[in-house]
Amino acid sequence: GLKTNNDEYLPSRINLGIKYLPRNIMKTVFNAEINFTSWSDVNTMYNNTVSYAIGLEHLLYYSLPLRLGFRYDTVNYLSTYENSENESVTSNNEINIPTFTAGTGFNITDNMTLDISVQYSNRSYDALDLFPDGYYNHANLWNYIQPTNRGWENPDSVTENFVKLFTSLNYKW
């Protein structure tokens, strides 16, 4: 890894990609990429990650491009917090994020183009409560239950879905 002036380490990253241009009447481009990131350079509690991406761009009639892609990322995050017994709890979780993309672009003028794309991704992971259930165990607050803290034997399952819209306006002179 690379050490900065503030004694922080940046991870080593290796990218390998390939581009294929088949011979056909309409211009088509296939792209594939693999990215390896050595997060263990930053902290030994992190795992190294590998992400994959493939994409296709095909020019339709009147030079209107259609872009489709898929990316698969594995993200590691480290979380540290205090539980209700004032003990420091550290967990290292791995989250897999599949992402689908689609987009197009067109010329507004001879020198100006507009690109539009949409991205859909989801991720699922297990997590402990930020505020354990025992935090809410106050007199006269609960009638029928007795809140107790849960650990990694019964974590919360979290599923998140993301839809992102990207636009860019490019001008060449």
Side-chain angles (χ1 to χ4, degrees), residues 105-115 168-172:
F106 52 88
N107 292 331
I108 297 174
T109 66
D110 289 340
N111 297 340
M112 189 179 300
T113 59
L114 176 68
D115 287 317
S168 67
L169 187 61
N170 300 306
Y171 183 80
K172 293 182 184 177

PDB file of all heavy atoms in Angstrom, residues 105-115 168-172:
ATOM      1  N   GLY A 105     -26.880   8.120 -25.321  1.00  0.00           N
ATOM      2  CA  GLY A 105     -26.387   9.483 -25.490  1.00  0.00           C
ATOM      3  C   GLY A 105     -26.724   9.953 -26.886  1.00  0.00           C
ATOM      4  O   GLY A 105     -26.973   9.156 -27.794  1.00  0.00           O
ATOM      5  N   PHE A 106     -26.767  11.258 -27.064  1.00  0.00           N
ATOM      6  CA  PHE A 106     -27.062  11.799 -28.390  1.00  0.00           C
ATOM      7  C   PHE A 106     -26.465  13.186 -28.514  1.00  0.00           C
ATOM      8  O   PHE A 106     -26.168  13.856 -27.525  1.00  0.00           O
ATOM      9  CB  PHE A 106     -28.566  11.806 -28.666  1.00  0.00           C
ATOM     10  CG  PHE A 106     -29.394  12.468 -27.611  1.00  0.00           C
ATOM     11  CD1 PHE A 106     -29.648  13.824 -27.650  1.00  0.00           C
ATOM     12  CD2 PHE A 106     -29.915  11.720 -26.564  1.00  0.00           C
ATOM     13  CE1 PHE A 106     -30.404  14.424 -26.669  1.00  0.00           C
ATOM     14  CE2 PHE A 106     -30.678  12.309 -25.588  1.00  0.00           C
ATOM     15  CZ  PHE A 106     -30.922  13.673 -25.640  1.00  0.00           C
ATOM     16  N   ASN A 107     -26.276  13.602 -29.767  1.00  0.00           N
ATOM     17  CA  ASN A 107     -25.714  14.914 -30.068  1.00  0.00           C
ATOM     18  C   ASN A 107     -26.809  15.968 -29.988  1.00  0.00           C
ATOM     19  O   ASN A 107     -27.882  15.817 -30.572  1.00  0.00           O
ATOM     20  CB  ASN A 107     -25.091  14.940 -31.464  1.00  0.00           C
ATOM     21  CG  ASN A 107     -23.859  14.076 -31.546  1.00  0.00           C
ATOM     22  OD1 ASN A 107     -23.163  13.892 -30.562  1.00  0.00           O
ATOM     23  ND2 ASN A 107     -23.596  13.553 -32.725  1.00  0.00           N
ATOM     24  N   ILE A 108     -26.520  17.045 -29.274  1.00  0.00           N
ATOM     25  CA  ILE A 108     -27.417  18.193 -29.237  1.00  0.00           C
ATOM     26  C   ILE A 108     -27.023  19.155 -30.354  1.00  0.00           C
ATOM     27  O   ILE A 108     -27.865  19.645 -31.088  1.00  0.00           O
ATOM     28  CB  ILE A 108     -27.354  18.882 -27.856  1.00  0.00           C
ATOM     29  CG1 ILE A 108     -27.854  17.915 -26.783  1.00  0.00           C
ATOM     30  CG2 ILE A 108     -28.164  20.168 -27.861  1.00  0.00           C
ATOM     31  CD1 ILE A 108     -27.717  18.428 -25.381  1.00  0.00           C
ATOM     32  N   THR A 109     -25.734  19.410 -30.477  1.00  0.00           N
ATOM     33  CA  THR A 109     -25.164  20.173 -31.594  1.00  0.00           C
ATOM     34  C   THR A 109     -23.975  19.384 -32.103  1.00  0.00           C
ATOM     35  O   THR A 109     -23.692  18.283 -31.625  1.00  0.00           O
ATOM     36  CB  THR A 109     -24.719  21.586 -31.141  1.00  0.00           C
ATOM     37  OG1 THR A 109     -23.637  21.458 -30.223  1.00  0.00           O
ATOM     38  CG2 THR A 109     -25.865  22.360 -30.506  1.00  0.00           C
ATOM     39  N   ASP A 110     -23.242  19.954 -33.053  1.00  0.00           N
ATOM     40  CA  ASP A 110     -22.060  19.274 -33.580  1.00  0.00           C
ATOM     41  C   ASP A 110     -20.989  19.074 -32.512  1.00  0.00           C
ATOM     42  O   ASP A 110     -20.240  18.106 -32.552  1.00  0.00           O
ATOM     43  CB  ASP A 110     -21.464  20.050 -34.752  1.00  0.00           C
ATOM     44  CG  ASP A 110     -22.338  19.973 -35.997  1.00  0.00           C
ATOM     45  OD1 ASP A 110     -23.174  19.047 -36.070  1.00  0.00           O
ATOM     46  OD2 ASP A 110     -22.181  20.840 -36.878  1.00  0.00           O
ATOM     47  N   ASN A 111     -20.915  19.979 -31.535  1.00  0.00           N
ATOM     48  CA  ASN A 111     -19.868  19.913 -30.511  1.00  0.00           C
ATOM     49  C   ASN A 111     -20.381  19.506 -29.142  1.00  0.00           C
ATOM     50  O   ASN A 111     -19.594  19.385 -28.211  1.00  0.00           O
ATOM     51  CB  ASN A 111     -19.176  21.278 -30.379  1.00  0.00           C
ATOM     52  CG  ASN A 111     -18.470  21.681 -31.651  1.00  0.00           C
ATOM     53  OD1 ASN A 111     -18.173  20.844 -32.497  1.00  0.00           O
ATOM     54  ND2 ASN A 111     -18.195  22.965 -31.788  1.00  0.00           N
ATOM     55  N   MET A 112     -21.673  19.327 -28.981  1.00  0.00           N
ATOM     56  CA  MET A 112     -22.228  19.058 -27.654  1.00  0.00           C
ATOM     57  C   MET A 112     -23.019  17.753 -27.653  1.00  0.00           C
ATOM     58  O   MET A 112     -23.834  17.521 -28.543  1.00  0.00           O
ATOM     59  CB  MET A 112     -23.138  20.214 -27.224  1.00  0.00           C
ATOM     60  CG  MET A 112     -23.582  20.125 -25.785  1.00  0.00           C
ATOM     61  SD  MET A 112     -24.629  21.514 -25.268  1.00  0.00           S
ATOM     62  CE  MET A 112     -23.559  22.898 -25.517  1.00  0.00           C
ATOM     63  N   THR A 113     -22.748  16.916 -26.635  1.00  0.00           N
ATOM     64  CA  THR A 113     -23.478  15.653 -26.492  1.00  0.00           C
ATOM     65  C   THR A 113     -24.063  15.558 -25.085  1.00  0.00           C
ATOM     66  O   THR A 113     -23.518  16.110 -24.138  1.00  0.00           O
ATOM     67  CB  THR A 113     -22.570  14.435 -26.743  1.00  0.00           C
ATOM     68  OG1 THR A 113     -21.491  14.467 -25.801  1.00  0.00           O
ATOM     69  CG2 THR A 113     -22.036  14.409 -28.153  1.00  0.00           C
ATOM     70  N   LEU A 114     -25.161  14.824 -24.980  1.00  0.00           N
ATOM     71  CA  LEU A 114     -25.819  14.565 -23.712  1.00  0.00           C
ATOM     72  C   LEU A 114     -25.841  13.060 -23.499  1.00  0.00           C
ATOM     73  O   LEU A 114     -26.254  12.313 -24.383  1.00  0.00           O
ATOM     74  CB  LEU A 114     -27.255  15.107 -23.719  1.00  0.00           C
ATOM     75  CG  LEU A 114     -28.092  14.823 -22.480  1.00  0.00           C
ATOM     76  CD1 LEU A 114     -27.537  15.589 -21.286  1.00  0.00           C
ATOM     77  CD2 LEU A 114     -29.543  15.202 -22.720  1.00  0.00           C
ATOM     78  N   ASP A 115     -25.350  12.611 -22.346  1.00  0.00           N
ATOM     79  CA  ASP A 115     -25.370  11.192 -21.979  1.00  0.00           C
ATOM     80  C   ASP A 115     -26.312  11.013 -20.800  1.00  0.00           C
ATOM     81  O   ASP A 115     -26.299  11.807 -19.855  1.00  0.00           O
ATOM     82  CB  ASP A 115     -23.976  10.694 -21.591  1.00  0.00           C
ATOM     83  CG  ASP A 115     -23.056  10.538 -22.785  1.00  0.00           C
ATOM     84  OD1 ASP A 115     -23.524  10.020 -23.810  1.00  0.00           O
ATOM     85  OD2 ASP A 115     -21.891  10.936 -22.678  1.00  0.00           O
ATOM     86  N   SER A 168     -24.759  13.645 -18.168  1.00  0.00           N
ATOM     87  CA  SER A 168     -23.577  14.472 -18.389  1.00  0.00           C
ATOM     88  C   SER A 168     -23.746  15.221 -19.697  1.00  0.00           C
ATOM     89  O   SER A 168     -24.336  14.719 -20.659  1.00  0.00           O
ATOM     90  CB  SER A 168     -22.294  13.642 -18.406  1.00  0.00           C
ATOM     91  OG  SER A 168     -22.261  12.799 -19.524  1.00  0.00           O
ATOM     92  N   LEU A 169     -23.244  16.420 -19.704  1.00  0.00           N
ATOM     93  CA  LEU A 169     -23.278  17.275 -20.878  1.00  0.00           C
ATOM     94  C   LEU A 169     -21.831  17.536 -21.264  1.00  0.00           C
ATOM     95  O   LEU A 169     -21.055  18.056 -20.456  1.00  0.00           O
ATOM     96  CB  LEU A 169     -24.002  18.581 -20.540  1.00  0.00           C
ATOM     97  CG  LEU A 169     -24.287  19.539 -21.674  1.00  0.00           C
ATOM     98  CD1 LEU A 169     -25.199  18.870 -22.717  1.00  0.00           C
ATOM     99  CD2 LEU A 169     -24.939  20.794 -21.134  1.00  0.00           C
ATOM    100  N   ASN A 170     -21.435  17.132 -22.468  1.00  0.00           N
ATOM    101  CA  ASN A 170     -20.054  17.254 -22.924  1.00  0.00           C
ATOM    102  C   ASN A 170     -19.971  18.232 -24.082  1.00  0.00           C
ATOM    103  O   ASN A 170     -20.813  18.202 -24.996  1.00  0.00           O
ATOM    104  CB  ASN A 170     -19.518  15.898 -23.390  1.00  0.00           C
ATOM    105  CG  ASN A 170     -19.550  14.878 -22.284  1.00  0.00           C
ATOM    106  OD1 ASN A 170     -19.017  15.116 -21.211  1.00  0.00           O
ATOM    107  ND2 ASN A 170     -20.183  13.756 -22.543  1.00  0.00           N
ATOM    108  N   TYR A 171     -18.945  19.066 -24.043  1.00  0.00           N
ATOM    109  CA  TYR A 171     -18.726  20.026 -25.122  1.00  0.00           C
ATOM    110  C   TYR A 171     -17.283  19.882 -25.594  1.00  0.00           C
ATOM    111  O   TYR A 171     -16.356  19.911 -24.784  1.00  0.00           O
ATOM    112  CB  TYR A 171     -18.999  21.461 -24.644  1.00  0.00           C
ATOM    113  CG  TYR A 171     -18.844  22.471 -25.751  1.00  0.00           C
ATOM    114  CD1 TYR A 171     -19.866  22.664 -26.661  1.00  0.00           C
ATOM    115  CD2 TYR A 171     -17.675  23.208 -25.876  1.00  0.00           C
ATOM    116  CE1 TYR A 171     -19.735  23.586 -27.682  1.00  0.00           C
ATOM    117  CE2 TYR A 171     -17.531  24.121 -26.903  1.00  0.00           C
ATOM    118  CZ  TYR A 171     -18.561  24.323 -27.784  1.00  0.00           C
ATOM    119  OH  TYR A 171     -18.418  25.201 -28.815  1.00  0.00           O
ATOM    120  N   LYS A 172     -17.088  19.726 -26.872  1.00  0.00           N
ATOM    121  CA  LYS A 172     -15.738  19.632 -27.470  1.00  0.00           C
ATOM    122  C   LYS A 172     -15.489  20.861 -28.319  1.00  0.00           C
ATOM    123  O   LYS A 172     -16.331  21.237 -29.119  1.00  0.00           O
ATOM    124  CB  LYS A 172     -15.624  18.379 -28.343  1.00  0.00           C
ATOM    125  CG  LYS A 172     -15.691  17.098 -27.588  1.00  0.00           C
ATOM    126  CD  LYS A 172     -15.520  15.917 -28.519  1.00  0.00           C
ATOM    127  CE  LYS A 172     -15.686  14.626 -27.770  1.00  0.00           C
ATOM    128  NZ  LYS A 172     -15.599  13.462 -28.655  1.00  0.00           N
TER     129      LYS A 172
END
